Amino acid sequence: MAELVCMGLTTLDILGRPVRALPKGGSTALVESISLAPAGTAGGCAVVASRLGLNTGLVSLSGADRNGKILRLLLEEEQIDLTHFGESQDLPTSTTILLISETGERPNLHMLGASVLTRFTPEAIQAAKDADYLHFAGIGFPGLMEHDTLEALRAIRAAGTVITADLISPNKDLIPFLKSLLPLVHVFMPSLAEAEILLGDVNAEQAAQAFEAFGAVSTIIKDGGRGSVGYHQGQLMSVPAIPIEVVDTTSCGDSYCAGFIAGLHEGADFEGAMRLATGTAALVAQGAGTLGKLESKAQVKEVLSS
């Protein structure tokens, strides 16, 4: 039985680094590495959470194609429970090509695929009810912006599962749905860039308070190299980022979510879980792809203690 169920976007990432400039015409540019990794707001969080010691299941879909076979293999290698990971005959596997710069920035090319078909099936609802945590990373998928989603989350929360949530593709049209969704979520964890799309020109503290006004129980605003700001039980708290040499920012936000859940799972208080999340993201950012240099939760604690 999974301790954590992640639901939403799952992609196969193809990463090349460092990319200094795009080659012109039909010429070739050399890079130091090209790698493959499972990623996405759900898939990336699941992989990192598994490395942190949580028994993790994934609710999403791949296509019935070669990319899907590779994605499944990579997820299985990370010991992800794929009982509720479906396969579409109609759409290809969601895939992203990322061109990682020397500073860790990651312009990318994304192909929408089967992951967008993710739904709250009765089986998925039961898996979430049986878990300690549900990371709902499907906000923005058309099929999950419905009344059925709210009913599913209401039932999952009533079963005692702690629900965290993250965004996929924010836009202002999401705001009415968020106002219905956020009271059902224990912790909402968007980035500041996503919050600015929804709210306009705000800082992290203002964004956290705005989402609290929407009905969020608790909120964390992820702000990259500036750290994160949490709003919990009426209190604002700030955790600075760890100074590192950034290699790749891919999945840093998703790894933060996984680290926060892992912190809660081991009994940390809200701020303590934010610190474990910060250490997790710092290790991920120091290497390429979803895991970067992350190996274990013990490694994260070593980073935090030093």
Side-chain angles (χ1 to χ4, degrees):
M1 185 181 299
E3 295 167 320
L4 165 65
V5 170
C6 297
M7 179 178 185
L9 177 65
T10 303
T11 70
L12 176 66
D13 276 6
I14 305 169
L15 307 102
R17 67 162 300 274
V19 178
R20 298 175 178 89
L22 291 178
K24 295 181 179 180
S27 61
T28 298
L30 297 179
V31 294
E32 295 174 8
S33 69
I34 295 176
S35 56
L36 302 175
T41 50
C45 182
V47 166
V48 173
S50 183
R51 281 290 180 100
L52 294 175
L54 287 168
N55 294 325
T56 306
L58 184 58
V59 178
S60 191
L61 291 94
S62 69
D65 52 15
R66 288 182 177 179
N67 285 7
K69 291 177 182 178
I70 294 169
L71 178 58
R72 284 176 174 271
L73 174 63
L74 295 172
L75 291 167
E76 288 170 354
E77 287 180 349
E78 295 300 330
Q79 301 181 341
I80 306 300
D81 182 352
L82 300 181
T83 302
H84 304 290
F85 190 78
E87 185 175 273
S88 171
Q89 299 296 322
D90 301 319
L91 292 177
T93 299
S94 301
T95 304
T96 306
I97 299 173
L98 297 108
L99 309 175
I100 312 301
S101 74
E102 291 178 295
T103 60
E105 295 178 342
R106 49 188 177 94
N108 62 86
L109 306 171
H110 179 66
M111 178 181 69
L112 292 173
S115 185
V116 75
L117 301 176
T118 302
R119 298 288 188 275
F120 269 111
T121 64
E123 294 79 12
I125 293 171
Q126 189 58 54
K129 286 182 176 180
D130 292 339
D132 297 318
Y133 302 89
L134 167 67
H135 185 57
F136 178 53
I139 304 173
F141 277 172
L144 291 174
M145 305 288 291
E146 300 173 349
H147 180 73
D148 288 350
T149 293
L150 302 176
E151 290 302 308
L153 290 172
R154 189 171 287 110
I156 292 165
R157 182 182 173 117
T161 302
V162 174
I163 302 172
T164 60
D166 198 359
L167 293 168
I168 296 173
S169 179
N171 62 74
K172 290 185 180 293
D173 292 340
L174 283 178
I175 290 177
F177 182 76
L178 280 175
K179 289 181 177 180
S180 297
L181 172 77
L182 291 183
L184 304 175
V185 171
H186 293 86
V187 188
F188 181 46
M189 294 188 279
S191 69
L192 179 59
E194 292 167 334
E196 287 175 331
I197 293 172
L198 294 170
L199 304 171
D201 186 16
V202 293
N203 60 33
E205 291 83 0
Q206 291 167 336
Q209 291 173 320
F211 289 126
E212 189 271 341
F214 281 8
V217 179
S218 300
T219 300
I220 295 173
I221 305 297
K222 301 170 293 190
D223 194 12
R226 287 174 290 276
S228 57
V229 170
Y231 190 87
H232 177 62
Q233 294 181 346
Q235 293 186 332
L236 280 168
M237 54 196 75
S238 178
V239 174
I242 297 172
I244 58 169
E245 185 173 337
V246 175
V247 171
D248 176 16
T249 57
T250 302
S251 292
C252 284
D254 305 324
S255 66
Y256 185 103
C257 293
F260 180 80
I261 295 165
L264 291 183
H265 188 65
E266 72 171 14
D269 62 15
F270 197 90
E271 188 171 353
M274 288 176 65
R275 294 190 183 281
L276 189 71
T278 300
T280 301
L283 282 166
V284 166
Q286 292 178 76
T290 299
L291 289 167
K293 288 190 174 181
L294 176 67
E295 296 176 1
S296 67
K297 185 164 66 175
Q299 180 197 23
V300 177
K301 291 190 173 183
E302 288 178 9
V303 169
L304 292 173
S305 66
S306 64

